[in-house]
Amino acid sequence: MGNILFVLGLALIIGLPKTVLFFTRRPKLKGTAAFTGGVVLILLRWPLIGFLVELYGIFILFGDFFATIGSFAGNIPVVGPYLQKALNRASQASGGQRNAELPV
């Protein structure tokens, strides 16, 4: 249920046309299929496998944002620098470029 609400919330924030455009772009189709497949697997009572497939889809879909999130997370006291390093590594691992083709 939370995954469906996440997609609906995204549509409310950036608008339905931009949401559809974001999920249907050619480089993002693999992530969209994995995310949708994960939701279907969860609904078919395969929660662990569905969660892992969904996690892969989210990593593909939103990997471009990890560097941006890392720059904000760096300002958190004590744990900020560690979060920033981890998110920047995740962004580089996903092949994402900082703010490349963001939906908004």
Coordinates of all heavy atoms in Angstrom, one line a residue:
M1 N 0.8 -1.2 0.0 CA 0.0 0.0 0.0 C 0.9 1.3 0.0 O 0.6 2.2 -0.7 CB -0.9 0.0 1.2 CG -1.9 1.1 1.3 SD -3.1 0.9 -0.1 CE -4.4 1.7 0.6
G2 N 2.0 1.2 0.8 CA 2.8 2.4 0.9 C 3.5 2.7 -0.5 O 3.8 3.9 -0.8
N3 N 3.8 1.7 -1.3 CA 4.4 1.9 -2.6 C 3.5 2.6 -3.5 O 3.9 3.5 -4.3 CB 4.9 0.6 -3.2 CG 5.8 -0.2 -2.2 OD1 6.6 0.4 -1.5 ND2 5.6 -1.5 -2.2
I4 N 2.3 2.2 -3.5 CA 1.3 2.9 -4.4 C 1.1 4.3 -3.9 O 1.0 5.2 -4.8 CB -0.1 2.1 -4.3 CG1 0.2 0.7 -4.9 CG2 -1.1 2.8 -5.1 CD1 -0.9 -0.3 -4.7
L5 N 1.0 4.5 -2.6 CA 0.9 5.9 -2.1 C 2.1 6.7 -2.4 O 2.0 8.0 -2.7 CB 0.7 5.9 -0.6 CG -0.7 5.3 -0.2 CD1 -0.8 5.2 1.3 CD2 -1.8 6.2 -0.7
F6 N 3.3 6.1 -2.5 CA 4.5 6.8 -2.9 C 4.4 7.3 -4.3 O 4.7 8.5 -4.6 CB 5.7 5.9 -2.7 CG 7.0 6.4 -3.3 CD1 7.7 7.5 -2.7 CD2 7.4 5.9 -4.5 CE1 8.8 8.0 -3.3 CE2 8.6 6.4 -5.1 CZ 9.3 7.4 -4.5
V7 N 4.0 6.5 -5.2 CA 3.8 6.9 -6.6 C 2.7 8.0 -6.7 O 2.9 9.0 -7.5 CB 3.5 5.7 -7.5 CG1 3.2 6.1 -8.9 CG2 4.7 4.7 -7.5
L8 N 1.6 7.8 -6.0 CA 0.6 8.9 -6.0 C 1.1 10.2 -5.5 O 0.8 11.3 -6.0 CB -0.6 8.4 -5.3 CG -1.4 7.3 -5.9 CD1 -2.5 6.8 -5.0 CD2 -2.0 7.7 -7.2
G9 N 1.9 10.1 -4.4 CA 2.5 11.4 -3.8 C 3.4 12.0 -4.8 O 3.4 13.2 -4.9
L10 N 4.2 11.2 -5.5 CA 5.1 11.8 -6.5 C 4.3 12.5 -7.6 O 4.7 13.6 -8.0 CB 6.0 10.7 -7.1 CG 7.1 11.1 -8.0 CD1 8.1 11.9 -7.2 CD2 7.8 9.9 -8.6
A11 N 3.2 11.9 -8.0 CA 2.4 12.5 -9.0 C 1.8 13.8 -8.5 O 1.6 14.8 -9.3 CB 1.3 11.5 -9.5
L12 N 1.4 13.9 -7.2 CA 0.8 15.1 -6.7 C 1.9 16.2 -6.6 O 1.6 17.4 -6.8 CB 0.2 14.8 -5.3 CG -1.1 14.1 -5.3 CD1 -1.5 13.7 -3.9 CD2 -2.2 14.9 -6.0
I13 N 3.1 15.8 -6.3 CA 4.1 16.8 -6.1 C 4.6 17.4 -7.4 O 4.7 18.6 -7.6 CB 5.3 16.2 -5.3 CG1 4.9 16.0 -3.9 CG2 6.5 17.2 -5.3 CD1 5.9 15.2 -3.0
I14 N 5.0 16.5 -8.4 CA 5.5 17.1 -9.6 C 4.5 17.1 -10.8 O 4.9 17.6 -11.9 CB 6.8 16.3 -10.0 CG1 6.5 14.8 -10.4 CG2 7.8 16.3 -9.0 CD1 7.7 14.1 -11.0
G15 N 3.3 16.6 -10.6 CA 2.3 16.6 -11.6 C 2.3 15.2 -12.4 O 3.3 14.5 -12.5
L16 N 1.1 14.9 -12.8 CA 0.9 13.6 -13.5 C 1.7 13.5 -14.8 O 2.3 12.5 -15.1 CB -0.6 13.4 -13.8 CG -1.0 12.0 -14.3 CD1 -0.5 10.9 -13.3 CD2 -2.5 11.9 -14.5
P17 N 1.7 14.5 -15.7 CA 2.5 14.4 -16.9 C 4.0 14.1 -16.7 O 4.6 13.3 -17.4 CB 2.2 15.7 -17.7 CG 1.0 16.3 -17.1 CD 1.0 15.8 -15.7
K18 N 4.6 14.9 -15.7 CA 6.0 14.7 -15.5 C 6.3 13.3 -14.8 O 7.3 12.7 -15.1 CB 6.5 15.8 -14.6 CG 6.7 17.1 -15.3 CD 7.3 18.2 -14.5 CE 7.4 19.5 -15.2 NZ 8.1 20.5 -14.4
T19 N 5.3 12.9 -14.0 CA 5.5 11.5 -13.4 C 5.5 10.5 -14.5 O 6.3 9.6 -14.5 CB 4.4 11.3 -12.4 OG1 4.4 12.3 -11.4 CG2 4.6 10.0 -11.7
V20 N 4.5 10.5 -15.4 CA 4.4 9.5 -16.5 C 5.7 9.6 -17.3 O 6.3 8.6 -17.7 CB 3.1 9.8 -17.3 CG1 3.1 8.9 -18.5 CG2 1.9 9.5 -16.4
L21 N 6.1 10.8 -17.6 CA 7.3 11.0 -18.4 C 8.5 10.4 -17.7 O 9.4 9.8 -18.4 CB 7.6 12.5 -18.7 CG 8.8 12.8 -19.6 CD1 8.6 12.3 -21.0 CD2 9.0 14.3 -19.6
F22 N 8.6 10.6 -16.4 CA 9.8 10.1 -15.7 C 9.8 8.6 -15.7 O 10.9 8.0 -15.9 CB 9.7 10.6 -14.2 CG 10.8 10.1 -13.4 CD1 12.1 10.5 -13.4 CD2 10.5 9.1 -12.4 CE1 13.1 10.0 -12.7 CE2 11.5 8.5 -11.6 CZ 12.8 9.0 -11.7
F23 N 8.7 7.9 -15.5 CA 8.7 6.5 -15.4 C 8.7 5.8 -16.8 O 9.0 4.6 -16.8 CB 7.4 6.0 -14.6 CG 7.6 6.2 -13.1 CD1 6.9 7.2 -12.5 CD2 8.3 5.3 -12.4 CE1 7.0 7.3 -11.1 CE2 8.5 5.4 -11.0 CZ 7.8 6.4 -10.4
T24 N 8.4 6.5 -17.8 CA 8.4 5.9 -19.1 C 9.5 6.3 -20.0 O 9.6 5.8 -21.2 CB 7.1 6.2 -19.9 OG1 6.9 7.7 -20.0 CG2 5.9 5.7 -19.1
R25 N 10.5 7.0 -19.5 CA 11.7 7.3 -20.3 C 12.5 6.0 -20.6 O 12.5 5.1 -19.7 CB 12.6 8.3 -19.6 CG 12.1 9.7 -19.7 CD 13.2 10.6 -19.3 NE 13.8 10.2 -18.0 CZ 14.3 10.9 -17.1 NH1 14.4 12.2 -17.3 NH2 14.8 10.4 -16.0
R26 N 13.1 5.9 -21.7 CA 13.8 4.7 -22.1 C 14.8 4.2 -21.1 O 14.8 3.0 -20.7 CB 14.4 4.9 -23.5 CG 15.0 3.6 -24.1 CD 14.8 3.6 -25.6 NE 15.4 2.5 -26.2 CZ 14.8 1.3 -26.3 NH1 13.7 1.1 -25.7 NH2 15.4 0.3 -26.9
P27 N 15.7 5.1 -20.5 CA 16.7 4.6 -19.5 C 16.0 4.1 -18.2 O 16.6 3.4 -17.5 CB 17.6 5.8 -19.3 CG 17.3 6.8 -20.3 CD 15.9 6.5 -20.9
K28 N 14.8 4.6 -18.0 CA 14.1 4.2 -16.7 C 13.1 3.1 -16.8 O 12.6 2.7 -15.8 CB 13.4 5.5 -16.2 CG 14.2 6.7 -16.0 CD 15.1 6.5 -14.8 CE 15.9 7.8 -14.6 NZ 16.8 7.7 -13.5
L29 N 12.9 2.5 -18.0 CA 12.0 1.4 -18.2 C 12.3 0.2 -17.4 O 11.5 -0.5 -16.8 CB 11.8 1.1 -19.6 CG 11.0 2.1 -20.4 CD1 10.9 1.7 -21.9 CD2 9.6 2.3 -19.9
K30 N 13.6 -0.1 -17.3 CA 14.1 -1.3 -16.5 C 13.7 -1.1 -15.1 O 13.2 -2.1 -14.4 CB 15.6 -1.4 -16.7 CG 16.2 -2.7 -16.2 CD 17.6 -2.7 -16.6 CE 18.5 -3.6 -15.8 NZ 19.9 -3.6 -16.3
G31 N 14.0 0.1 -14.5 CA 13.6 0.3 -13.1 C 12.1 0.3 -12.9 O 11.6 -0.2 -11.8
T32 N 11.4 0.9 -13.8 CA 9.9 0.9 -13.7 C 9.4 -0.5 -13.7 O 8.5 -0.9 -12.9 CB 9.3 1.7 -14.9 OG1 9.8 3.0 -14.8 CG2 7.8 1.8 -14.8
A33 N 9.9 -1.4 -14.6 CA 9.4 -2.8 -14.6 C 9.8 -3.5 -13.4 O 8.9 -4.3 -12.8 CB 10.0 -3.5 -15.8
A34 N 11.0 -3.3 -12.8 CA 11.3 -3.9 -11.6 C 10.5 -3.4 -10.4 O 10.0 -4.2 -9.6 CB 12.8 -3.7 -11.3
F35 N 10.2 -2.1 -10.3 CA 9.4 -1.6 -9.2 C 8.0 -2.1 -9.3 O 7.4 -2.6 -8.3 CB 9.4 -0.1 -9.3 CG 8.6 0.6 -8.2 CD1 9.2 0.7 -7.0 CD2 7.4 1.1 -8.4 CE1 8.5 1.3 -5.9 CE2 6.7 1.7 -7.4 CZ 7.2 1.8 -6.1
T36 N 7.4 -2.1 -10.5 CA 6.1 -2.7 -10.7 C 6.0 -4.2 -10.4 O 5.1 -4.7 -9.8 CB 5.6 -2.4 -12.1 OG1 5.7 -1.0 -12.4 CG2 4.1 -2.8 -12.3
G37 N 7.0 -4.9 -10.9 CA 7.1 -6.3 -10.6 C 7.2 -6.6 -9.2 O 6.6 -7.6 -8.7
G38 N 8.0 -5.8 -8.4 CA 8.1 -6.0 -7.0 C 6.8 -5.8 -6.3 O 6.4 -6.6 -5.4
V39 N 6.0 -4.8 -6.7 CA 4.7 -4.6 -6.1 C 3.8 -5.8 -6.4 O 3.1 -6.2 -5.5 CB 4.0 -3.3 -6.6 CG1 2.6 -3.1 -6.2 CG2 4.8 -2.1 -6.2
V40 N 3.8 -6.3 -7.6 CA 3.0 -7.4 -7.9 C 3.4 -8.6 -7.1 O 2.5 -9.4 -6.6 CB 3.1 -7.7 -9.5 CG1 2.4 -9.0 -9.8 CG2 2.4 -6.6 -10.2
L41 N 4.7 -8.9 -7.0 CA 5.2 -10.0 -6.2 C 4.7 -9.9 -4.7 O 4.3 -10.9 -4.1 CB 6.7 -10.1 -6.2 CG 7.2 -10.7 -7.5 CD1 8.7 -10.6 -7.5 CD2 6.8 -12.2 -7.7
I42 N 4.7 -8.7 -4.2 CA 4.3 -8.5 -2.8 C 2.8 -8.8 -2.7 O 2.3 -9.4 -1.8 CB 4.6 -7.1 -2.3 CG1 6.1 -6.9 -2.1 CG2 3.8 -6.7 -1.0 CD1 6.5 -5.5 -1.8
L43 N 2.0 -8.3 -3.7 CA 0.6 -8.6 -3.7 C 0.3 -10.1 -3.9 O -0.8 -10.6 -3.4 CB -0.1 -7.8 -4.8 CG -0.2 -6.3 -4.5 CD1 -0.8 -5.6 -5.7 CD2 -0.9 -5.9 -3.2
L44 N 1.2 -10.8 -4.5 CA 1.0 -12.3 -4.7 C 1.6 -13.1 -3.6 O 1.8 -14.3 -3.7 CB 1.7 -12.7 -6.0 CG 1.0 -12.2 -7.3 CD1 1.8 -12.6 -8.5 CD2 -0.4 -12.7 -7.4
R45 N 1.9 -12.4 -2.4 CA 2.4 -13.0 -1.2 C 3.8 -13.6 -1.3 O 4.1 -14.7 -0.8 CB 1.4 -14.1 -0.7 CG 0.1 -13.5 -0.4 CD -0.8 -14.5 0.2 NE -2.2 -13.9 0.4 CZ -3.1 -14.4 1.2 NH1 -2.8 -15.6 1.8 NH2 -4.2 -13.8 1.3
W46 N 4.6 -12.9 -2.0 CA 6.1 -13.2 -2.1 C 6.8 -11.9 -1.6 O 7.5 -11.3 -2.3 CB 6.5 -13.5 -3.5 CG 6.1 -14.8 -4.0 CD1 4.8 -15.2 -4.5 CD2 6.8 -16.0 -4.0 NE1 4.8 -16.5 -4.8 CE2 6.0 -17.0 -4.5 CE3 8.1 -16.4 -3.6 CZ2 6.4 -18.3 -4.7 CZ3 8.5 -17.7 -3.8 CH2 7.7 -18.6 -4.3
P47 N 6.6 -11.6 -0.3 CA 7.1 -10.3 0.2 C 8.6 -10.1 0.1 O 9.1 -9.0 -0.3 CB 6.6 -10.2 1.6 CG 6.3 -11.6 2.0 CD 6.0 -12.3 0.8
L48 N 9.4 -11.0 0.5 CA 10.8 -10.8 0.6 C 11.4 -10.7 -0.8 O 12.2 -9.7 -1.1 CB 11.5 -12.0 1.3 CG 13.0 -11.9 1.4 CD1 13.4 -10.7 2.2 CD2 13.6 -13.1 2.0
I49 N 11.0 -11.5 -1.8 CA 11.5 -11.4 -3.1 C 11.0 -10.1 -3.8 O 11.7 -9.4 -4.5 CB 11.1 -12.7 -4.0 CG1 11.8 -13.9 -3.4 CG2 11.5 -12.5 -5.4 CD1 11.4 -15.2 -3.9
G50 N 9.7 -9.8 -3.5 CA 9.1 -8.6 -4.0 C 9.8 -7.4 -3.5 O 10.0 -6.4 -4.3
F51 N 10.2 -7.4 -2.2 CA 10.9 -6.2 -1.7 C 12.2 -6.0 -2.3 O 12.6 -4.9 -2.7 CB 11.0 -6.4 -0.2 CG 11.9 -5.3 0.5 CD1 11.4 -4.1 0.6 CD2 13.1 -5.6 0.9 CE1 12.2 -3.1 1.2 CE2 14.0 -4.7 1.5 CZ 13.5 -3.4 1.6
L52 N 12.9 -7.1 -2.6 CA 14.3 -7.0 -3.2 C 14.2 -6.6 -4.6 O 15.0 -5.7 -5.1 CB 15.0 -8.4 -3.1 CG 15.3 -8.9 -1.7 CD1 15.9 -10.3 -1.7 CD2 16.3 -7.9 -1.0
V53 N 13.2 -7.1 -5.3 CA 13.0 -6.6 -6.7 C 12.6 -5.1 -6.8 O 13.1 -4.4 -7.6 CB 11.9 -7.5 -7.4 CG1 11.6 -6.9 -8.8 CG2 12.4 -8.9 -7.6
E54 N 11.8 -4.7 -5.8 CA 11.4 -3.3 -5.7 C 12.6 -2.4 -5.4 O 12.7 -1.3 -5.9 CB 10.3 -3.2 -4.6 CG 9.2 -2.4 -5.0 CD 8.2 -2.4 -3.9 OE1 7.4 -3.3 -3.9 OE2 8.2 -1.5 -3.1
L55 N 13.4 -2.9 -4.5 CA 14.6 -2.1 -4.1 C 15.5 -1.9 -5.2 O 16.0 -0.8 -5.4 CB 15.3 -2.9 -2.9 CG 16.4 -2.1 -2.2 CD1 15.9 -0.9 -1.5 CD2 17.0 -3.1 -1.2
Y56 N 15.7 -3.0 -6.1 CA 16.5 -2.8 -7.3 C 15.9 -1.8 -8.2 O 16.6 -0.9 -8.8 CB 16.6 -4.2 -8.0 CG 17.3 -4.1 -9.3 CD1 18.6 -3.9 -9.4 CD2 16.5 -4.2 -10.5 CE1 19.3 -3.9 -10.6 CE2 17.1 -4.1 -11.7 CZ 18.5 -4.0 -11.8 OH 19.1 -3.9 -13.0
G57 N 14.6 -1.8 -8.4 CA 13.9 -0.8 -9.2 C 14.0 0.6 -8.7 O 14.3 1.5 -9.5
I58 N 13.9 0.8 -7.4 CA 14.1 2.1 -6.8 C 15.5 2.6 -7.0 O 15.8 3.8 -7.3 CB 13.7 2.1 -5.3 CG1 12.2 2.0 -5.2 CG2 14.2 3.3 -4.6 CD1 11.7 1.8 -3.8
F59 N 16.5 1.7 -6.9 CA 17.9 2.0 -7.1 C 18.1 2.5 -8.5 O 18.9 3.5 -8.8 CB 18.8 0.8 -6.7 CG 20.3 1.2 -6.7 CD1 20.8 1.9 -5.7 CD2 21.1 0.7 -7.7 CE1 22.2 2.2 -5.7 CE2 22.4 0.9 -7.7 CZ 23.0 1.7 -6.7
I60 N 17.5 1.8 -9.5 CA 17.7 2.2 -10.9 C 16.9 3.5 -11.2 O 17.5 4.4 -11.9 CB 17.1 1.1 -11.8 CG1 17.9 -0.2 -11.7 CG2 17.1 1.5 -13.3 CD1 19.4 -0.1 -12.1
L61 N 15.7 3.6 -10.7 CA 14.9 4.8 -10.9 C 15.5 6.1 -10.3 O 15.6 7.1 -11.0 CB 13.5 4.6 -10.4 CG 12.6 3.7 -11.3 CD1 11.3 3.5 -10.5 CD2 12.3 4.4 -12.6
F62 N 15.9 6.0 -9.1 CA 16.3 7.2 -8.3 C 17.8 7.3 -8.0 O 18.2 8.0 -7.1 CB 15.5 7.3 -7.0 CG 14.0 7.4 -7.3 CD1 13.2 6.2 -7.1 CD2 13.4 8.5 -7.8 CE1 11.8 6.3 -7.4 CE2 12.1 8.6 -8.0 CZ 11.3 7.5 -7.8
G63 N 18.6 6.5 -8.7 CA 20.0 6.5 -8.5 C 20.6 7.9 -8.8 O 21.6 8.3 -8.2
D64 N 20.0 8.6 -9.7 CA 20.5 10.0 -10.0 C 20.4 10.9 -8.8 O 21.2 11.9 -8.8 CB 19.8 10.5 -11.2 CG 19.9 9.7 -12.4 OD1 20.8 8.9 -12.5 OD2 19.1 9.9 -13.3
F65 N 19.5 10.7 -7.9 CA 19.2 11.6 -6.8 C 20.2 11.4 -5.6 O 20.2 12.2 -4.7 CB 17.8 11.5 -6.4 CG 16.8 11.8 -7.4 CD1 16.0 10.9 -8.0 CD2 16.7 13.1 -7.9 CE1 15.1 11.2 -8.9 CE2 15.7 13.5 -8.8 CZ 14.9 12.5 -9.4
F66 N 20.9 10.3 -5.6 CA 21.7 10.0 -4.4 C 22.7 11.0 -4.1 O 23.0 11.3 -3.0 CB 22.4 8.6 -4.5 CG 21.4 7.5 -4.4 CD1 21.6 6.3 -5.1 CD2 20.3 7.5 -3.6 CE1 20.8 5.2 -5.0 CE2 19.4 6.5 -3.5 CZ 19.6 5.3 -4.2
A67 N 23.4 11.6 -5.1 CA 24.4 12.7 -4.9 C 23.7 13.9 -4.3 O 24.3 14.5 -3.4 CB 25.1 13.0 -6.2
T68 N 22.5 14.3 -4.8 CA 21.8 15.4 -4.2 C 21.4 15.2 -2.8 O 21.6 16.0 -1.9 CB 20.6 15.7 -5.1 OG1 20.9 15.9 -6.4 CG2 19.8 16.9 -4.6
I69 N 20.9 14.0 -2.5 CA 20.5 13.6 -1.1 C 21.8 13.6 -0.2 O 21.8 14.1 0.9 CB 19.8 12.3 -1.1 CG1 18.5 12.3 -1.8 CG2 19.6 11.8 0.3 CD1 17.9 11.0 -2.1
G70 N 22.9 13.2 -0.8 CA 24.2 13.1 0.0 C 24.6 14.5 0.4 O 25.2 14.7 1.5
S71 N 24.5 15.5 -0.5 CA 24.9 16.8 -0.2 C 24.1 17.4 0.9 O 24.6 18.2 1.8 CB 24.9 17.7 -1.4 OG 23.5 17.9 -1.9
F72 N 22.8 17.1 1.0 CA 21.9 17.6 2.1 C 22.2 16.8 3.3 O 22.2 17.4 4.4 CB 20.4 17.4 1.7 CG 20.0 18.5 0.7 CD1 19.5 18.0 -0.5 CD2 20.0 19.8 1.0 CE1 19.1 19.0 -1.4 CE2 19.5 20.7 0.1 CZ 19.1 20.3 -1.1
A73 N 22.5 15.5 3.2 CA 22.7 14.7 4.4 C 24.1 15.0 5.1 O 24.3 14.8 6.2 CB 22.7 13.2 4.0
G74 N 25.0 15.6 4.3 CA 26.3 16.0 4.9 C 26.2 17.1 6.0 O 27.1 17.2 6.8
N75 N 25.0 17.8 6.1 CA 24.9 18.8 7.1 C 24.3 18.3 8.4 O 24.2 19.0 9.3 CB 23.9 19.9 6.6 CG 24.5 20.6 5.4 OD1 25.7 20.8 5.3 ND2 23.7 21.0 4.4
I76 N 24.0 17.0 8.5 CA 23.5 16.4 9.7 C 24.7 16.2 10.7 O 25.7 15.7 10.3 CB 22.8 15.0 9.4 CG1 21.6 15.2 8.5 CG2 22.4 14.4 10.7 CD1 21.1 13.9 8.0
P77 N 24.5 16.7 11.9 CA 25.6 16.5 12.9 C 26.0 15.1 13.1 O 25.1 14.2 13.1 CB 25.1 17.2 14.1 CG 23.9 18.0 13.7 CD 23.4 17.4 12.5
V78 N 27.2 14.8 13.3 CA 27.9 13.5 13.7 C 27.8 12.5 12.6 O 28.9 12.1 12.1 CB 27.2 12.9 15.0 CG1 27.9 11.6 15.3 CG2 27.3 13.9 16.2
V79 N 26.7 12.1 12.1 CA 26.6 11.1 11.1 C 26.5 11.6 9.6 O 26.6 10.8 8.7 CB 25.3 10.2 11.3 CG1 25.4 9.4 12.6 CG2 24.0 11.0 11.2
G80 N 26.4 12.9 9.5 CA 26.3 13.5 8.1 C 27.4 13.2 7.2 O 27.1 12.8 6.0
P81 N 28.7 13.3 7.6 CA 29.7 13.0 6.6 C 29.7 11.5 6.2 O 30.0 11.2 5.0 CB 31.0 13.3 7.4 CG 30.6 14.3 8.4 CD 29.2 14.0 8.8
Y82 N 29.4 10.6 7.1 CA 29.3 9.2 6.7 C 28.2 8.9 5.7 O 28.3 8.2 4.8 CB 29.2 8.4 8.0 CG 30.3 8.6 8.9 CD1 30.1 9.2 10.2 CD2 31.6 8.1 8.7 CE1 31.1 9.4 11.1 CE2 32.6 8.3 9.5 CZ 32.4 9.0 10.7 OH 33.4 9.2 11.6
L83 N 27.0 9.6 6.0 CA 25.9 9.4 5.1 C 26.2 10.0 3.7 O 25.9 9.4 2.7 CB 24.6 10.1 5.6 CG 24.0 9.4 6.8 CD1 22.9 10.3 7.3 CD2 23.4 8.1 6.4
Q84 N 26.9 11.1 3.7 CA 27.2 11.8 2.4 C 28.2 10.9 1.6 O 28.0 10.7 0.4 CB 27.9 13.1 2.7 CG 28.2 13.9 1.5 CD 28.7 15.3 1.8 OE1 29.3 15.5 2.9 NE2 28.6 16.2 0.9
K85 N 29.2 10.3 2.2 CA 30.1 9.4 1.5 C 29.4 8.2 1.0 O 29.6 7.8 -0.2 CB 31.2 8.9 2.5 CG 32.2 10.0 2.8 CD 33.3 9.5 3.7 CE 34.2 10.6 4.1 NZ 35.2 10.1 5.1
A86 N 28.5 7.6 1.8 CA 27.8 6.4 1.4 C 26.9 6.7 0.2 O 26.8 5.9 -0.8 CB 27.0 5.8 2.5
L87 N 26.1 7.8 0.2 CA 25.2 8.1 -0.8 C 26.0 8.5 -2.1 O 25.5 8.3 -3.2 CB 24.3 9.2 -0.4 CG 23.2 8.8 0.6 CD1 22.5 10.0 1.2 CD2 22.2 7.8 0.0
N88 N 27.1 9.2 -2.0 CA 27.9 9.5 -3.1 C 28.5 8.3 -3.8 O 28.5 8.2 -5.0 CB 29.0 10.5 -2.8 CG 28.5 11.9 -2.6 OD1 27.5 12.3 -3.1 ND2 29.3 12.7 -1.8
R89 N 28.9 7.3 -3.0 CA 29.3 6.0 -3.6 C 28.2 5.3 -4.3 O 28.4 4.7 -5.4 CB 29.9 5.1 -2.5 CG 31.3 5.5 -2.1 CD 31.9 4.6 -1.1 NE 33.1 5.1 -0.5 CZ 33.5 4.8 0.7 NH1 32.9 3.9 1.4 NH2 34.6 5.3 1.1
A90 N 27.0 5.3 -3.7 CA 25.8 4.7 -4.3 C 25.5 5.4 -5.6 O 25.1 4.7 -6.6 CB 24.6 4.7 -3.4
S91 N 25.6 6.7 -5.7 CA 25.3 7.4 -6.9 C 26.3 7.0 -8.0 O 26.0 6.8 -9.1 CB 25.4 8.9 -6.6 OG 25.2 9.6 -7.8
Q92 N 27.6 6.9 -7.6 CA 28.6 6.5 -8.6 C 28.4 5.1 -9.1 O 28.6 4.8 -10.2 CB 30.0 6.7 -8.0 CG 30.4 8.2 -7.8 CD 31.6 8.4 -7.0 OE1 32.2 7.4 -6.6 NE2 32.1 9.6 -6.9
A93 N 28.0 4.2 -8.2 CA 27.8 2.8 -8.5 C 26.6 2.7 -9.5 O 26.6 1.8 -10.3 CB 27.5 2.0 -7.3
S94 N 25.6 3.5 -9.3 CA 24.4 3.4 -10.2 C 24.7 4.1 -11.6 O 23.8 4.1 -12.4 CB 23.2 4.0 -9.6 OG 23.3 5.4 -9.5
G95 N 25.8 4.8 -11.7 CA 26.1 5.4 -13.0 C 25.4 6.8 -13.1 O 25.4 7.3 -14.2
G96 N 24.9 7.2 -12.0 CA 24.1 8.5 -12.1 C 25.0 9.7 -12.1 O 26.1 9.7 -11.6
Q97 N 24.6 10.7 -12.8 CA 25.3 12.0 -12.8 C 24.5 13.0 -11.9 O 23.3 12.9 -11.8 CB 25.4 12.5 -14.2 CG 26.2 11.6 -15.1 CD 26.1 12.1 -16.5 OE1 25.5 13.1 -16.8 NE2 26.8 11.4 -17.4
R98 N 25.2 13.9 -11.3 CA 24.5 14.8 -10.4 C 23.5 15.6 -11.1 O 23.8 16.3 -12.1 CB 25.6 15.7 -9.7 CG 25.0 16.5 -8.6 CD 26.1 17.3 -8.0 NE 25.6 18.2 -7.0 CZ 25.5 17.9 -5.7 NH1 25.9 16.8 -5.3 NH2 25.0 18.8 -4.9
N99 N 22.2 15.5 -10.7 CA 21.1 16.2 -11.3 C 20.9 16.0 -12.7 O 20.4 16.9 -13.4 CB 21.2 17.7 -10.9 CG 21.1 18.0 -9.5 OD1 20.5 17.3 -8.7 ND2 21.8 19.0 -9.0
A100 N 21.2 14.9 -13.3 CA 21.1 14.6 -14.7 C 19.6 14.3 -15.0 O 19.1 13.3 -14.5 CB 22.0 13.5 -15.1
E101 N 19.0 15.1 -15.8 CA 17.6 14.9 -16.3 C 16.6 14.6 -15.2 O 15.9 13.7 -15.2 CB 17.6 13.7 -17.3 CG 18.4 13.9 -18.5 CD 18.4 12.7 -19.4 OE1 17.3 12.0 -19.4 OE2 19.3 12.5 -20.1
L102 N 16.6 15.5 -14.2 CA 15.7 15.4 -13.1 C 14.3 15.7 -13.6 O 14.1 16.5 -14.6 CB 16.0 16.3 -12.0 CG 17.4 16.1 -11.3 CD1 17.6 17.1 -10.2 CD2 17.4 14.7 -10.7
P103 N 13.3 15.1 -13.0 CA 11.9 15.3 -13.6 C 11.3 16.7 -13.4 O 10.4 17.0 -14.0 CB 11.1 14.2 -12.8 CG 11.8 13.9 -11.6 CD 13.3 14.1 -11.9
V104 N 11.9 17.4 -12.4 CA 11.4 18.8 -12.2 C 12.4 19.8 -12.4 O 13.6 19.6 -12.5 CB 10.9 18.9 -10.7 CG1 9.6 18.1 -10.5 CG2 11.9 18.5 -9.7

